[in-house]
Structure formats: structure tokens, C-alpha cells
Amino acid sequence: MSTLLEKISDLNDLVLQGKAMEAFERYYHEDVVMQENETKPTVGKAANRRREEEFFAAITEFRGAKPLKVAVGESVTMVEWHYDYTHKDWGTRNYTQISVQEWRNGQIVLEKFYYGV
């Protein structure tokens, strides 16, 4: 059985390889809840899959992503990411985001993203 550090490291590596949806399928629970800052959470893997696919489809130029810091606790991981891309609706985005994941039985059941707008 992999440790949470191994799991979050593999997830991050998949994202960096352009395989974010593969990471999503591998590491996210069927009942996952995902939330951007204080917006209404998206519940369930199917709804979050659609949300993620729509997000990636709207990227018109991707200049980079880099995990800056990773923290692991008891059933929780946190990653500080730096992103640089252009989105068809939001324009140029160059920012730092904190992603906090709660894990159960080796899968993410809750993920919340914190970033400035």
C-alpha cells in the first residue's frame, strides 16, 4: 500500500505530464466533493469529471504548472501550486493556489482550492 506522500506525488507527476484526467480517475472517490474557495461545492465524481473536462477544454494556452510545496498529515495532503495559462473566459491567469485533499481508503473524498481572485 502506498503512503499518502507517494499518492500525492504520483498525482502531481501525472498533472505535470498532462495526464490530469488520468490522475482524477485513479485517485478521486466516486463521492468526491470539490470546491473552489467559498463557491458552492461540486458533488460526485461524474459532476466533477465534467467540471474538470470543461476547465481543460477552455485553456487556450498553457505555459506551465509547478508544485511549490507539499504537506502530508493524517488523511490529508496539501499542495501549493503555481499556474500560468490563458483561459478563454478568464484571460491570462498567473497565480498560486493551495489545494487541500482529504483522503479515505486511498482516494480523495474532499478537495478544496484556495486562491486569490
Side-chain angles (χ1 to χ4, degrees):
M1 184 168 128
S2 299
T3 67
L4 281 186
L5 179 58
E6 291 168 329
K7 288 179 185 299
I8 196 65
S9 295
D10 185 49
L11 188 155
N12 292 346
D13 288 343
L14 288 168
V15 170
L16 291 171
Q17 295 168 32
K19 300 177 181 178
M21 294 311 297
E22 183 178 324
F24 179 81
E25 295 303 331
R26 182 178 302 172
Y27 288 110
Y28 288 72
H29 191 274
E30 284 300 316
D31 298 323
V32 66
V33 175
M34 297 172 79
Q35 183 177 11
E36 306 268 340
N37 286 324
E38 295 305 318
T39 63
K40 182 179 176 188
T42 303
V43 179
K45 193 167 188 174
N48 278 293
R49 182 183 298 109
R50 280 189 303 276
R51 187 184 60 76
E52 291 286 307
E53 289 169 343
E54 289 169 5
F55 170 77
F56 289 115
I59 301 295
T60 59
E61 182 182 3
F62 183 78
R63 291 174 294 280
K66 181 178 180 182
L68 304 173
K69 297 178 185 131
V70 176
V72 178
E74 189 172 327
S75 299
V76 66
T77 55
M78 292 176 251
V79 182
E80 180 181 16
W81 281 93
H82 181 265
Y83 292 108
D84 184 11
Y85 59 86
T86 302
H87 186 279
K88 71 176 185 141
D89 298 321
W90 310 333
T92 299
R93 300 294 308 261
N94 189 329
Y95 65 104
T96 300
Q97 169 182 289
I98 307 297
S99 302
V100 179
Q101 303 87 15
E102 292 184 25
W103 296 75
R104 184 174 62 227
N105 299 324
Q107 291 193 304
I108 296 169
V109 293
L110 177 63
E111 183 167 43
K112 189 166 180 182
F113 308 100
Y114 299 90
Y115 53 91
V117 290

